[in-house]
């Protein structure tokens, strides 16, 4: 047994002890973002107008494809298994084009994040766009930040009930419009619009609208920043995309610290003081409710509204803009080294300024060439390679295809004259919205001829047959070969199809089976 006096006691306590354990889920603290003004906020307005306008208006755009195809510019026609995007028509077997676009989107996301951080999240993510739209409604009805906070903290009254009812009613209208716009991508928009409002649309249309209404209302109006923090995987992935040369929204504490709300008094006392006056304007406008002065955080969506807020304060104080700015980690570290004399002292903003208050010449500033580095070239190259491949495939693809299926049972039939007959199911695929006359020709297989079951086409080695626009035509074809012309139990020959008008053609290599004794 050890004597207790010989054992050192360490001051340690289990992190999950009962008295320290935190609840698994903390109640949400409401965020009341203040309206920001500035260049980044104007850019967000522009992006919101473009993205929402594109989403709501695209199904109503028309594109003339002739009398045999729908005239909706963008249409996902599930019933007929077609995907129309202006002049492009994609069939089910061509879904690799959609997969290619998704791959391009992935590389594009990596490229944007590596260059300017989470710009996708801050400007074009649907969650961000719809939250912005819902906030516009909230501010218009309840007022800006202080008014909303006062209303939320106050007791329920007739005024509060009216304001909250009006806000949530408009939110629901936006959510319904969101779900309604989505279903128009899957059917002719004017027709479906009429059917929905007359109660004659398919049940799946109403179910889809209901589900998207609920998700839009819940995600955009009630959960807001929680979607980005807890449900979206990208905040946890983005760190792998960033490096020392990535542009991110940064608080430049090499010029802001030490912060003080009474700069003149501190300066009069001979103490160092930074440009940050601790006004919390950056925190008030943040839709995620974080303080960018705490450094890069998982919750930051790089919307840059804190830059607008801080620049506005700097303008009022007569100081240079850029206390919060887009900066690279390399530039930030270089400037911090200047302000801390290489790390030997605390931050002293006077070290980065001259006697007349200007910034020193060797201060690091962002230069465009810094973002062009190997990672960016790789992402750009991969993105371009996939895009060029898709474009080349799209421009050179054949819109006429043939597929042949040999009868399995029986594989051949011996006719009364001794000749051998094989049966085939031939599928002619006309992939343009125009009728075609397709010439089907049999190549090789000496002495053989073919006939079409259920059609008065004379037996021969070639025949022409009409194919409807944008349709698959199936033919049952018998190929017969005299016994004295058979040269093996399995002979190879080719079905060739050709459109004489467009000079498009396709071929399929088939096998003609015969008994061993027929040779």
């Amino acid at each position: 047994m050890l004597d207790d006096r010989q054992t050192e006691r360490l001051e340690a306590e289990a992190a999950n002890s009962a008295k320290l354990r935190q609840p698994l889920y903390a109640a949400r603290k409401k965020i009341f973002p203040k309206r920001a003004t500035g260049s980044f906020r104007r850019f967000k307005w522009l992006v919101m107008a473009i993205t929402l306008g594109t989403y709501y208006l695209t199904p109503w755009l028309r594109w003339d494809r002739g009398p045999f195809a729908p005239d909706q510019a963008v249409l996902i026609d599930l019933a007929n298994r077609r995907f129309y995007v202006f002049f492009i028509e994609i069939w089910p077997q061509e879904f690799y084009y959609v997969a290619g676009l998704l791959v391009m989107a992935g590389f594009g996301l990596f490229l944007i994040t590596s260059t300017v951080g989470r710009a996708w999240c801050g400007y074009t993510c649907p969650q961000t766009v719809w939250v912005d739209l819902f906030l516009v409604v909230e501010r218009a009805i309840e007022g800006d930040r202080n008014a909303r906070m006062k209303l939320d903290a106050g007791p329920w009254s007739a005024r509060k009930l009216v304001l909250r009812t009006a806000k949530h009613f408009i939110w629901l209208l936006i959510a319904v419009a969101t779900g309604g716009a989505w279903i128009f991508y899957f059917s002719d928009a004017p027709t479906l619009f009429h059917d929905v409002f007359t109660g004659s649309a398919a049940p799946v249309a109403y179910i889809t609208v209901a589900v998207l209404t609920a998700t839009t209302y819940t995600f955009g109006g009630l959960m807001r920043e929680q979607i980005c923090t807890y449900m979206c995987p990208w905040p946890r992935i983005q760190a792998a995309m960033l490096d020392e040369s990535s542009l991110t929204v940064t608080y430049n504490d090499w010029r802001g610290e030490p912060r003080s709300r009474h700069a003149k008094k501190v300066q009069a006392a001979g103490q160092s003081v930074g440009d940050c006056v601790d006004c919390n304007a950056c925190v008030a406008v943040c839709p995620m409710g974080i303080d960018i002065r705490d450094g890069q955080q998982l919750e930051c969506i790089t919307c840059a509204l804190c830059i607008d807020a801080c620049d506005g304060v700097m303008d009022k104080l007569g100081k240079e803009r850029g206390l919060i700015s887009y900066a690279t980690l390399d530039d930030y570290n270089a400037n911090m080294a200047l302000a801390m004399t290489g790390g030997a002292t605390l931050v002293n903003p006077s070290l980065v300024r001259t006697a007349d208050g200007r910034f020193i010449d060797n201060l690091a500033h962002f230069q465009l060439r810094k973002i062009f580095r190997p990672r960016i070239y790789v992402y750009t190259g991969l993105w371009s390679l996939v895009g060029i491949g898709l474009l080349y495939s799209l421009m050179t693809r054949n819109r006429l295809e043939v597929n042949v299926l040999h009868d399995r049972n029986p594989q051949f039939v011996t006719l009364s004259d001794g000749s051998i007959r094989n049966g085939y199911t031939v599928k002619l695929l006309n992939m343009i919205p125009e009728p075609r006359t397709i010439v089907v020709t049999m190549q090789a297989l000496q002495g053989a001829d073919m006939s079409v079951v259920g059609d008065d086409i004379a037996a021969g080695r070639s025949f022409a047959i009409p194919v409807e626009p944008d349709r698959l035509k199936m033919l049952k074809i018998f190929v017969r070969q005299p016994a004295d012309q058979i040269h093996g139990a399995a002979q190879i020959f080719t079905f060739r199809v050709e459109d004489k008008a467009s000079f498009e053609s396709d071929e399929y290599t088939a096998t003609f089976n015969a008994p061993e004794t027929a040779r």
Side-chain angles (χ1 to χ4, degrees):
M1 297 290 291
L2 287 174
D3 186 358
D4 289 342
R5 290 173 297 179
Q6 299 175 353
T7 305
E8 180 184 3
R9 177 175 176 80
L10 302 178
E11 295 298 328
E13 191 167 15
N16 62 345
S17 64
K19 59 183 178 181
L20 293 180
R21 188 178 299 144
Q22 298 294 320
L24 181 63
Y25 178 80
R28 174 180 180 250
K29 295 181 180 180
K30 290 186 178 181
I31 297 173
F32 302 89
K34 179 180 174 61
R35 177 169 181 170
T37 57
S39 56
F40 289 104
R41 178 64 263 185
R42 288 192 294 271
F43 182 65
K44 280 177 67 68
W45 289 132
L46 177 62
V47 172
M48 186 173 75
I50 292 173
T51 51
L52 289 175
T54 300
Y55 176 73
Y56 286 116
L57 297 179
T58 296
W60 301 93
L61 299 178
R62 302 292 101 182
W63 188 269
D64 185 12
R65 299 184 181 92
F68 303 104
D71 64 348
Q72 186 163 311
V74 178
L75 176 64
I76 305 172
D77 189 355
L78 296 180
N80 296 304
R81 292 178 293 180
R82 303 287 187 277
F83 186 10
Y84 298 96
V85 183
F86 296 96
F87 64 92
I88 301 172
E89 178 184 357
I90 298 176
W91 285 61
Q93 65 269 29
E94 297 178 316
F95 198 76
Y96 54 83
Y97 286 114
V98 178
L101 290 176
L102 293 177
V103 172
M104 287 186 67
F107 283 130
L109 186 58
F110 297 161
L111 174 61
I112 292 298
T113 305
S114 299
T115 308
V116 290
R118 291 174 64 185
W120 158 261
C121 301
Y123 297 95
T124 54
C125 174
Q127 174 67 13
T128 297
V129 172
W130 262 269
V131 167
D132 261 1
L133 181 59
F134 278 34
L135 282 174
V136 169
V137 175
E138 185 171 88
R139 291 191 187 103
I141 294 176
E142 297 182 355
D144 206 357
R145 183 172 185 269
N146 291 337
R148 300 201 310 277
M149 293 176 65
K150 182 178 179 181
L151 181 69
D152 188 73
W156 281 97
S157 62
R159 177 178 177 274
K160 183 174 181 177
L161 181 62
V162 170
L163 293 179
R164 288 291 169 87
T165 301
K167 179 182 72 174
H168 287 276
F169 177 72
I170 296 177
W171 281 0
L172 281 171
L173 289 181
I174 294 172
V176 171
T178 301
W182 179 248
I183 64 173
F184 293 149
Y185 284 88
F186 295 85
S187 183
D188 182 65
T191 303
L192 183 57
F193 182 83
H194 175 270
D195 292 345
V196 167
F197 281 92
T198 57
S200 56
V204 67
Y206 297 105
I207 294 173
T208 302
V209 172
V211 170
L212 290 178
T213 296
T215 53
T216 304
Y217 173 77
T218 303
F219 292 171
L222 304 181
M223 297 183 70
R224 293 185 182 175
E225 75 287 344
Q226 290 182 304
I227 299 297
C228 305
T229 303
Y230 300 111
M231 294 181 64
C232 180
W234 189 240
R236 291 152 182 84
I237 300 173
Q238 65 153 346
M241 301 293 106
L242 300 175
D243 60 21
E244 293 81 358
S245 298
S246 300
L247 275 175
T248 57
V249 175
T250 305
Y251 168 62
N252 296 308
D253 44 4
W254 48 266
R255 62 167 280 197
E257 297 295 325
R259 66 188 77 161
S260 173
R261 295 185 58 83
H262 307 285
K264 292 183 178 180
K265 292 182 180 179
V266 174
Q267 287 175 332
Q271 299 177 11
S272 176
V273 63
D275 288 344
C276 180
V277 294
D278 205 17
C279 63
N280 286 331
C282 53
V283 181
V285 300
C286 180
M288 300 299 293
I290 65 171
D291 190 343
I292 192 62
R293 294 172 296 181
D294 293 335
Q296 282 295 310
Q297 297 155 70
L298 176 146
E299 295 85 357
C300 179
I301 60 173
T302 318
C303 64
L305 294 183
C306 52
I307 297 179
D308 283 340
C310 188
D311 283 348
V313 173
M314 292 296 104
D315 290 343
K316 293 178 181 178
L317 296 176
K319 299 179 180 292
E320 301 92 338
R321 291 187 168 198
L323 177 57
I324 302 176
S325 65
Y326 270 100
T328 67
L329 182 60
D330 278 341
D331 290 342
Y332 171 82
N333 287 337
N335 292 334
M336 281 294 289
L338 293 175
M340 300 175 66
T341 59
T345 64
L346 296 176
V347 174
N348 184 356
S350 63
L351 296 177
V352 297
R353 294 185 183 273
T354 60
D356 58 356
R358 298 175 180 269
F359 286 120
I360 58 178
D361 293 335
N362 58 338
L363 202 64
H365 297 283
F366 170 71
Q367 296 178 4
L368 187 61
R369 61 177 176 80
K370 293 182 180 180
I371 67 173
F372 294 103
R373 53 198 191 278
R375 172 183 291 195
I376 299 303
Y377 292 128
V378 170
Y379 289 146
T380 303
L382 292 173
W383 184 85
S384 302
L385 188 63
V386 175
I388 292 172
L390 290 177
L391 184 61
Y392 176 78
S393 175
L394 187 67
M395 300 303 294
T396 59
R397 62 179 179 166
N398 196 353
R399 311 310 292 150
L400 175 63
E401 292 185 4
V402 60
N403 190 27
V404 179
L405 182 65
H406 194 292
D407 288 354
R408 292 188 175 184
N409 189 22
Q411 292 198 355
F412 58 84
V413 173
T414 303
L415 302 180
S416 58
D417 60 356
S419 60
I420 304 300
R421 187 184 74 186
N422 283 205
Y424 303 87
T425 300
V426 178
K427 300 178 181 180
L428 303 177
L429 188 58
N430 177 17
M431 302 172 70
I432 65 172
E434 298 176 7
R436 284 180 167 185
T437 299
I438 305 301
V439 178
V440 182
T441 305
M442 182 175 60
Q443 297 179 340
L445 206 61
Q446 184 178 356
D449 59 27
M450 57 183 175
S451 58
V452 181
V453 178
D455 207 318
D456 353 349
I457 299 175
R461 296 184 64 85
S462 180
F463 63 86
I465 192 163
V467 180
E468 295 179 353
D470 222 13
R471 287 292 182 269
L472 171 70
K473 188 176 186 68
M474 297 179 61
L475 303 174
K476 180 66 175 181
I477 294 180
F478 286 142
V479 175
R480 184 187 67 86
Q481 187 178 31
D484 59 353
Q485 299 291 328
I486 297 176
H487 302 290
Q491 302 176 79
I492 303 300
F493 72 102
T494 301
F495 282 105
R496 177 180 172 82
V497 296
E498 184 178 8
D499 178 13
K500 299 292 186 181
S502 65
F503 301 104
E504 285 188 305
S505 63
D506 194 22
E507 294 182 350
Y508 190 95
T509 301
T511 303
F512 185 86
N513 296 325
E516 290 286 342
T517 57
R519 292 188 294 170

